[in-house]
Amino acid sequence: MTSECAVVAAATTVAMNSVGEACTDMKREYDQCFNRWFAEKFLKGDSSGDPCTDLFKRYQQCVQKAIKEKEIPIEGLEFMGHGKEKPENSS
């Protein structure tokens, strides 16, 4: 087993819950999809696309809703994707 596969295998056995309880099942479904794609396709040179994009978008929306509901301050933070482009003069 390569070190990359060992990392993927370890990641599949240690599952963290999501910030929102309602999002945890979606997170696990996305994690399984991504880990399978990463190990079976990406690490073998097939980077043609991520089949888990729709799962990720649904999970992202769920997490964003949970953060708002829990009033977790996230002002100025960019998380879970490409929300905003960086200013040209940023370092």
Side-chain angles (χ1 to χ4, degrees):
M1 181 181 283
T2 67
S3 60
E4 293 90 355
C5 288
V7 170
V8 171
T12 60
T13 59
V14 179
M16 293 180 58
N17 289 339
S18 181
V19 67
E21 286 182 35
C23 307
T24 297
D25 287 341
M26 276 186 249
K27 178 188 182 303
R28 290 197 176 124
E29 186 179 358
Y30 170 73
D31 286 347
Q32 285 180 334
C33 180
F34 179 82
N35 289 336
R36 186 172 39 253
W37 168 80
F38 188 76
E40 295 175 6
K41 301 288 184 179
F42 186 79
L43 290 178
K44 294 177 180 176
D46 181 358
S47 59
S48 60
D50 179 356
C52 310
T53 301
D54 290 338
L55 288 172
F56 177 77
K57 288 178 182 178
R58 287 192 325 232
Y59 173 58
Q60 179 184 39
Q61 290 171 346
C62 186
V63 167
Q64 289 171 343
K65 181 181 175 189
I67 286 172
K68 286 180 185 177
E69 288 173 353
K70 292 182 179 202
E71 298 179 358
I72 298 172
I74 59 166
E75 295 303 316
L77 297 178
E78 183 178 328
F79 69 101
M80 291 190 71
H82 307 287
K84 296 180 182 176
E85 296 296 320
K86 291 183 180 181
E88 289 182 24
N89 60 358
S90 69
S91 50

